[in-house]
Amino acid sequence: MHTAAHAGNRSRCLRITVNLVAVLALGAAQSGVMARQQNPQPAVAAADLAKRIHAQVNERRKKHGLRSLTWNDSLSRIALKHSRDMANRNYLGHDTPEGITFSDRYRLDGYSCEIRIGNQVHTGAENIALGRLYNSMITRNGVADYRWNSVQQIALKTVDGWMNSPGHRENILTPYWRQEGIGVVIGPGNRIYITQNFC
């Protein structure tokens, strides 16, 4: 976890970078493109997955006596743009290759987050994850046999991964956040790019 302070102690931005590939993919491997598949890929709608992750986040907050986060369309749009950029340019990070941070993305999209707690101003936070649509793939007689995840399994694995990472968990269980937006993009190679933004 990285904590960045702006304007002295008045503002704190939590920036978490943890590669969740190992957590979410559970050893997924590919050995080239197969012409045939034994198990057809289930349909996964990115917007549905984002809402299921949102519901799981609120379940975890509820278990810790915290109020639910409301869905914020502006934060979701910002998150979706970042997930799309990561998928299109094949990277995983809070900062783009040009060094644009999540705080910059808020500002560039015209979104302002200022939550005052005592003499500090909290300006938002971000979690990211990279997963796959399947747990594993083996080849039998030239046929790819995928162990696909359901939409609900992906949502659960994503939030479990975040909750098992101290920085991500801190963001999810921060009591003063009131809203979140989640953006999901299913990219090449069955990869799933997920961005979660808070205010």
Side-chain angles (χ1 to χ4, degrees):
M1 179 181 76
H2 306 285
T3 303
H6 303 282
N9 290 326
R10 291 182 51 236
S11 172
R12 184 179 72 150
C13 299
L14 298 175
R15 296 170 51 229
I16 314 306
T17 304
V18 173
N19 187 332
L20 295 181
V21 176
V23 174
L24 301 179
L26 296 177
Q30 269 187 323
S31 59
V33 177
M34 299 294 149
R36 297 175 293 154
Q37 293 182 12
Q38 185 171 336
N39 297 321
Q41 178 178 337
V44 174
D48 178 38
L49 177 55
K51 291 291 189 169
R52 287 174 186 253
I53 293 169
H54 174 65
Q56 285 300 314
V57 166
N58 279 331
E59 282 294 318
R60 308 307 167 90
R61 286 179 63 89
K62 184 177 177 183
K63 286 180 183 177
H64 287 84
L66 300 172
R67 73 161 64 170
S68 293
L69 299 172
T70 60
W71 182 267
N72 182 292
D73 287 334
S74 295
L75 286 173
S76 179
R77 184 172 54 251
I78 294 165
L80 182 60
K81 287 178 184 177
H82 187 54
S83 291
R84 187 176 297 126
D85 186 55
M86 290 191 293
N88 289 342
R89 300 201 284 167
N90 192 29
Y91 73 93
L92 180 69
H94 294 285
D95 297 354
T96 69
E98 299 78 22
I100 296 172
T101 68
F102 85 87
S103 295
D104 295 328
R105 289 189 287 278
Y106 282 22
R107 180 180 46 78
L108 291 168
D109 214 67
Y111 185 82
S112 177
C113 176
E114 290 189 1
I115 298 176
R116 294 183 181 276
I117 305 292
N119 63 352
Q120 291 189 330
V121 177
H122 302 275
T123 59
E126 179 176 87
N127 285 346
I128 58 174
L130 174 62
R132 290 195 187 268
L133 292 174
Y134 58 91
N135 284 326
S136 63
M137 186 276 290
I138 59 172
T139 304
R140 293 188 182 118
N141 300 321
V143 178
D145 185 7
Y146 288 90
R147 296 293 182 245
W148 299 104
N149 291 306
S150 69
V151 178
Q152 189 63 17
Q153 286 172 324
I154 296 167
L156 285 168
K157 287 179 184 183
T158 300
V159 179
D160 284 346
W162 282 336
M163 292 298 288
N164 289 324
S165 165
H168 293 85
R169 179 185 177 93
E170 181 179 347
N171 281 344
I172 288 172
L173 298 181
T174 294
Y176 48 75
W177 297 143
R178 296 291 178 257
Q179 304 173 77
E180 75 169 346
I182 297 169
V184 174
V185 170
I186 299 170
N190 296 308
R191 289 189 289 266
I192 310 166
Y193 293 83
I194 304 164
T195 304
Q196 176 186 38
N197 287 127
F198 299 90
C199 183

